Structures are given as C-alpha cells and as structure tokens.
Amino acid sequence: MDVEVLTLAGAAAEALVQAMVSDGWTSARARIARVLSGGDPARVPAEEAELERSGQALRGNELSASVTAGHWQGRVADLLTRHPERAGELTALLRELRSRTGGTAHVHVGGHNNGNLIIGDHNTARIHRPEPR
C-alpha cells in the first residue's frame, strides 16, 4: 500500500480518536461520517453508527486508543484506495479536527521504520538516493 495513503490515514485516525473524547464529538462525528461514506449519502447513517460505537467503546475503556486508531486507519486507508479523489476532503477534515483539538495530532510509529515519515500541512522534502555502484 502507498506510504502516502497510510500516512494520511494514520494522521486522520489519530485525529479521529482525539475527537472521540472531545466536547465536539457529535458534530465531528457527522462530518467524519460524510467523508467515510465515500460520497454515498445512504451510507452516512451506518458510518455514523459505527463511529459512535467506537467512541463509546473508547470512552468506556473497552478499547484502547491505539486499537481504535488502528481500526480507523485501516478504514480510512481502504476509503483512499477505493476513492483517491477523497484525499482533499479528508485533508480538510484532518485540519478541522486538529483545530478542534488544539491544532496538533500525535502519531505513534512503532517497529522498524526504514523511511521518512513527514506529517503536516505544508511540508517539503528532498530525498537523496545514492547512485548505484
């Protein structure tokens, strides 16, 4: 899977989990459900219900934040794989969620990382690859 998709999905999932425990969860949940529906208005109620179940499980300590974020990272990555045109809307949602939670998102990366992970609104990077010998 594309690292950009996973990075965006991970950042969105982390912001989503933070929103689940915030005061503005009800309005955030509706906005998130619209994005997750993939543009299908008939799917919005089902997405909203699943988001609410996840939020209740998180707030009730039935699921950890990392498990909840992992689930939603997978869902968002699947959405972006099926509907790459939704990336702009998801990025706008991520900015909105971050602004509601103080403008930050915490992304935890575990295991071995043999590449770069850059998350933010206005990043540029130059990757230098040595010439093959």
Side-chain angles (χ1 to χ4, degrees):
M1 185 171 286
D2 187 339
V3 72
E4 290 176 5
V5 167
L6 288 175
T7 301
L8 179 55
E14 185 70 26
L16 190 155
V17 167
Q18 289 177 10
M20 286 179 174
V21 295
S22 74
D23 293 335
W25 172 234
T26 302
S27 63
R29 183 186 65 219
R31 174 91 164 92
I32 295 163
R34 284 192 301 276
V35 173
L36 291 173
S37 72
D40 181 359
R43 290 205 36 80
V44 173
E47 295 294 347
E48 210 167 337
E50 185 174 352
L51 285 161
E52 184 53 28
R53 283 191 299 275
S54 286
Q56 287 176 353
L58 177 65
R59 291 185 302 275
N61 293 319
E62 297 168 35
L63 289 175
S64 69
S66 62
V67 168
T68 304
H71 168 75
W72 287 104
Q73 181 179 8
R75 288 287 315 279
V76 172
D78 181 57
L79 170 73
L80 291 172
T81 300
R82 289 182 294 110
H83 300 283
E85 71 279 5
R86 308 295 288 194
E89 185 177 7
L90 184 63
T91 301
L93 174 61
L94 178 57
R95 285 189 187 115
E96 180 183 323
L97 292 175
R98 284 179 177 170
S99 71
R100 291 180 184 191
T101 59
T104 61
H106 305 281
V107 178
H108 304 280
V109 178
H112 300 286
N113 182 8
N114 294 326
N116 297 317
L117 177 63
I118 302 169
I119 298 174
D121 292 337
H122 304 287
N123 292 314
T124 58
R126 289 184 344 157
I127 299 172
H128 172 72
R129 289 190 167 66
E131 294 292 322
R133 294 181 182 193

